[in-house]
Amino acid sequence: MTLVEKPAGGSPRRSDPPKEDRHFVTALARGLEVLHAFKSGEERLGNHELAERCSLPKSTITRLTYTLTKLGYLHHIAESGRYRLGLMALTLGGTTLSRLDVKEVSNPFLQQLANETDTMVALATRDDLSMFYIENCRSETAILTLMLGIGSHIPLGTTAAGRGYLAGAPAGARQTLEARLQAIDPVGWPRVEKGIRQAMADLAEFGCVRSFGDWRREINGIAVPVRLGSGLPLMVVNAAAAASSISAETFMDEVRPRLIATVRGIEAQYHAKS
């Protein structure tokens, strides 16, 4: 007979399986219970607090937080020994988006850039072989805008955001991703590879990468990697607009310096807040 840990007082938890339900995976339920214990992006919780909130033994919580950290659903803050929600928690649904402090810090900067340049501005991170929008701001006055929002996925190899990630990633990680991109589309790979190499050169020369009609002919965009440290994954801020409304020249001459300043501002504000 399998023994199931019970909270003090004997009352059932959400992670307790229904009686005789052999299909119920208790370990998975308890992992989700740990993520649910975080009520805001500001919260940093230790194993002791999590054990109390989840009514589980600390030894069990320690194994769960270790596993969730390895998978990217939690981020361990070495200085304090506490945890906060990781960026992989985004993939569980939009409700976790509001719990990320990086979203809170970046939003004012992104909205200001969107207003100043009449572009759509987004903060994105990688989700497998695509880029995932964490935050998204649109110009309040632009006549044309792009129909992309928070939670949108866009290609890794041909978009400005994706190229920004690849150009900013460590060499080993980039090479692994390139091999995967080549394997899924060997015919199209030479064009994708050329764009990535150009992005690496652009980042070194101009401080940004570009995609002018490379993903979709009607879309222009540029992007800059964001490095927040503290064990967070690499992220990217990109600015995009309809090619008919903002030319490639305008992006490089006018939008580019503002985008770079926006990224530096986000990094400085996040480090000061942390």
Side-chain angles (χ1 to χ4, degrees), residues 62-224:
T62 300
R63 294 193 300 272
L64 289 171
T65 53
Y66 174 84
T67 302
L68 290 167
T69 300
K70 284 291 185 180
L71 294 174
Y73 290 96
L74 290 181
H75 170 64
H76 182 246
I77 305 167
E79 295 80 6
S80 64
R82 293 172 176 266
Y83 299 86
R84 62 167 172 74
L85 288 175
L87 289 178
M88 280 302 294
L90 291 170
T91 61
L92 296 179
T95 56
T96 59
L97 287 168
S98 61
R99 300 182 182 182
L100 290 170
D101 50 2
V102 65
K103 172 185 168 77
E104 178 184 347
V105 168
S106 65
N107 179 270
F109 290 95
L110 302 182
Q111 188 61 63
Q112 181 178 355
L113 178 62
N115 292 341
E116 290 176 349
T117 59
D118 283 341
T119 62
M120 184 201 74
V121 182
L123 177 69
T125 191
R126 184 177 66 84
D127 181 15
D128 198 25
L129 293 181
S130 65
M131 295 299 291
F132 181 86
Y133 278 7
I134 300 171
E135 181 63 294
N136 178 268
C137 296
R138 291 177 170 80
S139 166
E140 297 170 352
T141 58
I143 298 174
L144 295 175
T145 189
L146 306 181
M147 299 306 293
L148 293 169
I150 296 172
S152 294
H153 285 79
I154 59 176
L156 183 64
T158 55
T159 61
R163 288 174 176 175
Y165 183 92
L166 291 167
R174 182 178 64 252
Q175 291 164 4
T176 298
L177 292 169
E178 288 178 350
R180 294 180 62 195
L181 290 171
Q182 182 178 12
I184 64 173
D185 185 13
V187 174
W189 171 245
R191 183 178 69 88
V192 174
E193 182 183 25
K194 181 179 178 181
I196 295 171
R197 297 294 172 266
Q198 185 62 56
M200 295 169 65
D202 286 346
L203 185 61
E205 182 176 358
F206 303 115
C208 76
V209 307
R210 46 189 169 171
S211 177
F212 298 144
D214 297 332
W215 172 40
R216 293 181 180 173
R217 186 173 55 184
E218 70 275 14
I219 296 177
N220 285 339
I222 60 175
V224 176

Side-chain angles (χ1 to χ4, degrees), residues 16-22 24:
D16 284 332
K19 288 184 178 180
E20 301 179 359
D21 188 348
R22 61 187 180 86
F24 191 89

Side-chain angles (χ1 to χ4, degrees), residues 24-57:
F24 191 89
V25 183
T26 302
L28 173 60
R30 290 178 176 176
L32 294 174
E33 188 85 1
V34 169
L35 297 180
H36 190 266
F38 290 83
K39 295 180 173 60
S40 77
E42 295 303 311
E43 275 199 297
R44 270 72 167 166
L45 301 177
N47 285 330
H48 179 73
E49 291 96 335
L50 287 168
E52 289 186 344
R53 291 192 182 189
C54 298
S55 299
L56 287 170

